[in-house]
Amino acid sequence: MLSAQSISKRFGATLALAGVSFTALPGEIHALLGENGAGKTTLMNVLGGAIRADAGVVTLYGRTLRSGSPAAALAAGISTVHQSSMLFERMSWEENLALGGFGAAQALIDLNAVAARAAELAGRLGFALPPPRALIESRSVTERVRLEVMRALSFNPRVLILDEPTAVLAPSELGSFLGSLRKLREEGRIVILITHKLREALAIADRITVLRRGEVVAETTPAATSEAKLARLIVGEMPAHDARPSAAPAPDGVALELDALSVVRDGRRVLDGIHLAVRRGAITGLAGVDGNGQADLVETLAGVRAAHSGAIRIGGAPMRTPYDERLAVIPQNRDLDGLILDMTLWENLMLSAAIRKSLSACGWLDRAAASRQCAGLLERFKIRASGPNAHAAELSGGNRQRLEVARALAARPEVIVAHNVCRGLDLAATADVHRELREFAGSGGAVLLISSDLDELLTACDELAVISGGRLRPTRTDERTEERLGLLMTGEWT
């Protein structure tokens, strides 16, 4: 079995793991749960060799593994899929897979052979592959996750560790992916699944371990627990599930309007004459399988991509280009597009022009005031960090996400565009984000919530539209079920 005994790890003043012991058995899917910052990813990185533990030992089938050596862990049969992408952006997906087990035994790598082997594995997993020789930097978050999983499996591992792999998968992909994990279990492999989706953990796991603040607080089985019990173990109490008000807010004018908007990328029309009105006082949801034009829409609204035709209006007036301070964007890829990880937290807040202007006079930034505002936001949004001068790279994935949300709200825009804003967030953090967005809308703001998570959209949104193949369609009230929306997301509009 895989065994971690008395693992401790400290990052500065933060004790990430406090004597954690954890075991996983052959032929077992073991779910690892906990709130953001509980130590799940740190434990995973210790098991996978990416981090050297301060104390404790990891063994696999009785053999002690060298601490802090990814190569030793991989050689022993431990393969890891990280929450943040570990792919090379300026290389093709075939080249990235060739750096895994697909090309490891070859002196000269045949990318066509790599692609053929990848296609075979993708077929078993139910995944779609990108176009030939496509660069990673042009691919969606979902496609990157698929490729990460395939690269990890290419090593034929005895232990597969997955950190939030299903967070961006579409409903149509989830079933086949979970089925693939069951096949790995049947082959006698160990699968460790880090997830915030309690229903998913209960459906697929054989055992469940819960971490809280760097310590193991429970080990249980799906038969012996429930969603409510797990939620209490993770965060103390179950957060309110429904973020919507008891009655829909009265219409208060259109804040954001897309009028026959079309966008062309690489000679292909990725947004095809879409119409959408996002009104004040409401959260408007946009559902879709990742890669159907959502990222292009977000980039266009953020001013980093030009529209081919059509118009974007905020409050009835044309959106200012290239950047309009009346609109704040929370991108889905926090590490590449949302934050600069080598900068401090207060410096990352200053990346917002609206916040920067509010703290500047005659071209000079009031650094002390910026630090004070950052400290206030850390407390308000429950961001676990040593302080404003901590670097963004020191934060867990969920706390980085909270920082993005804090920055968007602190900018006091008229419209917030949030793309997969709750990906990787725990139950309490998700409830907090939904509450903040609801309060923002309740104060007269407008929210466009773009997500591949149907539970989130059905929970948080007043109005809902679906995007497929670059075309957009509003939904009727009677269509707002997981089953019907899942069909609409695949383009079944008739």
Side-chain angles (χ1 to χ4, degrees):
M1 64 179 178
L2 177 68
S3 173
Q5 294 298 320
S6 303
I7 302 296
S8 294
K9 181 62 183 179
R10 182 181 293 275
F11 297 99
T14 302
L15 183 60
L17 295 174
V20 167
S21 293
F22 172 85
T23 60
L25 306 175
E28 174 182 69
I29 297 176
H30 197 133
L32 187 58
L33 308 181
E35 61 184 334
N36 297 128
K40 306 182 303 298
T41 299
T42 301
L43 177 59
M44 178 199 75
N45 284 328
V46 170
L47 296 174
I51 289 177
R52 184 187 301 275
D54 297 332
V57 63
V58 177
T59 61
L60 179 60
Y61 294 103
R63 175 189 170 193
T64 300
L65 302 183
R66 182 154 57 94
S67 181
S69 172
L74 189 60
I78 301 176
S79 195
T80 303
V81 176
H82 297 268
Q83 187 180 115
S84 299
S85 177
M86 294 294 194
L87 301 173
F88 292 94
E89 292 287 308
R90 295 298 180 90
M91 294 173 66
S92 71
W93 64 268
E94 295 97 333
E95 290 169 327
N96 271 277
L97 292 185
L99 293 173
F102 288 110
Q106 302 176 24
L108 294 176
I109 296 174
D110 182 348
L111 292 182
N112 291 326
V114 169
R117 289 193 292 274
E120 180 183 353
L121 177 57
R124 296 204 304 269
L125 294 172
F127 289 173
L129 290 174
R133 304 300 188 268
L135 298 182
I136 293 298
E137 65 180 356
S138 69
R139 310 325 299 166
S140 69
V141 171
T142 298
E143 288 176 298
R144 295 175 198 221
V145 170
R146 295 181 194 135
L147 293 169
E148 295 259 24
V149 171
M150 291 175 62
R151 187 169 67 176
L153 288 174
S154 71
F155 291 104
N156 194 28
R158 294 194 286 178
V159 180
L160 179 64
I161 306 175
L162 301 163
D163 194 355
E164 295 285 346
T166 62
V168 294
L169 294 182
S172 58
E173 298 173 310
L174 183 58
S176 61
F177 179 73
L178 296 181
S180 300
L181 297 187
R182 293 186 180 99
K183 290 178 183 177
L184 294 174
R185 174 177 59 190
E186 292 168 3
E187 294 170 0
R189 302 178 200 266
I190 296 170
V191 179
I192 300 172
L193 177 66
I194 298 176
T195 181
H196 290 301
K197 298 182 178 180
L198 303 187
R199 190 185 312 170
E200 178 181 292
L202 291 169
I204 195 171
D206 300 293
R207 281 194 299 152
I208 299 170
T209 293
V210 180
L211 290 180
R212 186 194 291 177
R213 295 189 177 273
E215 297 181 343
V216 174
V217 295
E219 183 184 296
T220 184
T221 64
T225 190
S226 65
E227 284 192 55
K229 289 179 181 178
L230 288 175
R232 284 192 291 271
L233 287 169
I234 293 169
V235 297
E237 61 181 13
M238 190 69 169
H241 184 63
D242 197 341
R244 292 174 295 181
S246 56
D252 193 22
V254 175
L256 173 66
E257 183 180 10
L258 311 180
D259 185 6
L261 183 69
S262 294
V263 173
V264 175
R265 173 168 51 82
D266 299 330
R268 183 170 64 90
R269 191 178 290 263
V270 291
L271 291 178
D272 191 5
I274 64 174
H275 294 265
L276 181 66
V278 181
R279 59 187 175 87
R280 301 184 192 280
I283 298 177
T284 298
L286 184 58
V289 178
D290 201 21
N292 277 268
Q294 300 97 313
D296 301 281
L297 173 59
V298 173
E299 289 178 358
T300 303
L301 293 173
V304 298
R305 185 177 297 280
H308 177 71
S309 60
I312 303 173
R313 289 184 282 271
I314 300 177
M319 187 177 81
R320 296 187 285 267
T321 56
Y323 174 71
D324 197 316
E325 293 176 18
R326 296 174 296 173
L327 183 146
V329 172
I330 305 173
Q332 66 171 338
N333 196 326
R334 54 185 171 246
D335 295 340
L336 285 179
D337 303 321
L339 304 171
I340 299 178
L341 300 184
D342 289 336
M343 288 173 61
T344 65
L345 304 188
W346 75 264
E347 288 170 333
N348 270 280
L349 289 178
M350 295 306 106
L351 295 176
S352 165
I355 297 176
R356 194 166 61 247
K357 285 183 179 180
S358 71
L359 296 171
S360 300
C362 301
W364 291 92
L365 176 69
D366 187 339
R367 181 169 175 169
S371 183
R372 286 194 300 271
Q373 180 170 6
C374 181
L377 291 173
L378 295 181
E379 181 177 0
R380 173 185 167 187
F381 289 89
K382 303 174 186 175
I383 300 171
R384 292 184 183 173
S386 58
N389 288 315
H391 288 83
E394 299 173 25
L395 270 58
S396 69
N399 283 301
R400 293 178 195 177
Q401 196 75 7
R402 288 175 186 251
L403 183 65
E404 280 196 300
V405 174
R407 183 177 60 195
L409 289 165
R412 301 182 182 278
E414 296 180 31
V415 180
I416 288 178
V417 177
H419 191 187
N420 283 328
V421 67
C422 292
R423 181 173 68 90
L425 293 185
D426 59 41
L427 290 171
T430 297
D432 287 344
V433 169
H434 287 168
R435 186 188 68 251
E436 292 283 356
L437 293 179
R438 171 58 56 200
E439 290 177 357
F440 171 77
S443 66
V447 178
L448 176 58
L449 180 61
I450 303 171
S451 178
S452 53
D453 188 331
L454 293 185
D455 281 342
E456 176 182 24
L457 294 171
L458 291 170
T459 296
C461 297
D462 305 295
E463 300 168 347
L464 195 56
V466 172
I467 189 169
S468 178
R471 296 180 300 123
L472 189 144
R473 174 190 184 279
T475 65
R476 304 185 305 270
T477 303
D478 63 346
E479 292 178 318
R480 293 170 194 172
T481 65
E482 287 193 26
E483 294 77 15
R484 180 57 180 155
L485 287 173
L487 286 174
L488 293 174
M489 288 166 65
T490 63
E492 295 287 339
W493 289 6
T494 55

